Amino acid sequence: MSLYTDLKFQQNCANCPIHYRAICAMCEPDELRLLEDIKFYRSFEAGQTVIWAGDRMNFVASVVTGVATLTKTMEDGRTQMVGLMLPSDFVGRPGRDTTPYNVTAVTDLLMCCFRKKEFEAMMVRTPHIAHRLLAMTLDDLDAAREWMLLLGRKTAREKIASLLGIIARRDAELTKAVAARSIAFDLPLTRTAMADYLGLTLETVSRQITALRNDRVIVLQGLRHVIVPDLRRLIAEAGSDDVMEMHS
């Protein structure tokens, strides 16, 4: 059973950790106050489904903390991970009644939600929100095209480095450590999930992570904590600089 529960606390939009890059990033103070009136928070435990593909979605939301996956189930039952939702990413599409993907919490997840009908009405009255949504949608399109390149042309080592680079970059942006050369973060995906997302085998993922560790491109502490001594070197291992812009 999904928690799908309104949290007791209310967080001020102006002090939100994702405010500067979320859907509300371009809003003026008076517009933020309007958003406050239609927002609420929902939390999900790791492994819980936020929404199933094809279900009606009566809200849209920004990921505040945690990570979710987008998956698509084919007619024969096979499931493919098609995207990651990281902090500040936007879930749902105004004007669309249902969602085409399953959205599942990978870690404990906190989402800042907006009632859909009110949000759609506010988009008409508030160009800043409409403009920001358009920009984020175009960024998603660019990221999808880059991901096609990654899956189709990059080596296994480059794929792993690209995924680690995306997660490291987002973590650095949220902690305002973008200019830092060394970055540390907790990897939100299991190696099995990484293999599914990248179209690799589990053995290949483990082998390439070990190789990156042995070459000192990354340092591992435990199973999930990753230290990147030099982010530029990790990006170079990804095969291009494009990963720096993906999911931005």
Side-chain angles (χ1 to χ4, degrees):
M1 178 178 176
S2 169
L3 290 180
Y4 213 58
T5 306
D6 293 3
L7 298 185
K8 300 296 184 183
F9 72 92
Q10 289 293 311
Q11 183 172 321
N12 187 290
C13 284
N15 298 324
C16 177
I18 63 168
H19 165 56
Y20 71 98
R21 59 167 294 124
I23 191 66
C24 54
M26 299 173 63
C27 289
E28 300 292 342
D30 59 326
E31 296 167 340
L32 290 177
R33 286 191 291 271
L34 292 174
L35 281 176
E36 290 273 8
D37 293 337
I38 65 170
K39 82 172 185 182
F40 54 96
Y41 291 96
R42 283 178 174 167
S43 63
F44 298 85
E45 293 180 346
Q48 290 187 315
T49 300
V50 177
I51 193 161
W52 294 100
D55 284 355
R56 294 186 65 85
M57 193 168 180
N58 60 5
F59 69 95
V60 294
S62 292
V63 176
V64 180
T65 60
V67 177
T69 58
L70 300 178
T71 59
K72 188 77 170 180
T73 302
M74 294 179 282
E75 290 184 0
D76 62 4
R78 288 177 295 167
T79 298
Q80 175 64 49
M81 190 190 307
V82 296
L84 285 178
M85 305 302 296
L86 303 172
S88 78
D89 283 340
F90 191 71
V91 181
R93 288 292 180 264
R96 179 181 295 177
D97 291 333
T98 61
T99 177
Y101 306 111
N102 304 316
V103 182
T104 306
V106 176
T107 65
D108 289 345
L109 189 69
L110 175 62
M111 302 179 73
C112 178
C113 306
F114 305 98
R115 295 189 294 273
K116 191 172 182 182
K117 294 299 182 185
E118 289 90 336
F119 186 86
E120 290 172 343
M122 191 172 172
M123 285 181 61
V124 177
R125 305 192 308 268
T126 311
H128 285 153
I129 291 179
H131 292 164
R132 178 59 182 156
L133 182 59
L134 175 61
M136 295 177 77
T137 301
L138 293 175
D139 285 344
D140 286 345
L141 177 60
D142 288 341
R145 288 169 173 166
E146 291 298 334
W147 203 254
M148 290 173 62
L149 171 64
L150 183 152
L151 293 178
R153 296 298 180 185
K154 289 192 175 183
T155 67
R157 183 182 176 100
E158 289 170 340
K159 289 180 180 181
I160 296 295
S162 293
L163 181 57
L164 294 176
I166 289 168
I167 297 171
R169 178 70 172 178
R170 177 63 60 86
D171 189 86
E173 289 171 345
L174 292 173
T175 58
K176 297 182 172 59
V178 178
R181 291 184 61 178
S182 178
I183 294 175
F185 62 93
D186 290 325
L187 188 63
L189 298 176
T190 65
R191 295 188 182 188
T192 299
M194 292 173 67
D196 180 38
Y197 191 34
L198 296 170
L200 301 172
T201 65
L202 175 59
E203 293 76 12
T204 298
V205 170
S206 295
R207 186 166 57 250
Q208 294 302 328
I209 288 177
T210 298
L212 290 171
R213 182 196 64 192
N214 291 342
D215 292 340
R216 303 294 294 175
V217 178
I218 60 173
V219 177
L220 297 179
Q221 294 182 343
L223 294 176
R224 297 289 187 88
H225 192 67
V226 179
I227 300 172
V228 181
D230 187 344
L231 182 59
R232 287 175 295 186
R233 186 181 176 198
L234 176 63
I235 299 307
E237 292 285 351
S240 74
D241 292 335
D242 295 333
V243 69
M244 300 294 284
E245 302 302 326
M246 290 171 67
H247 290 266
S248 64

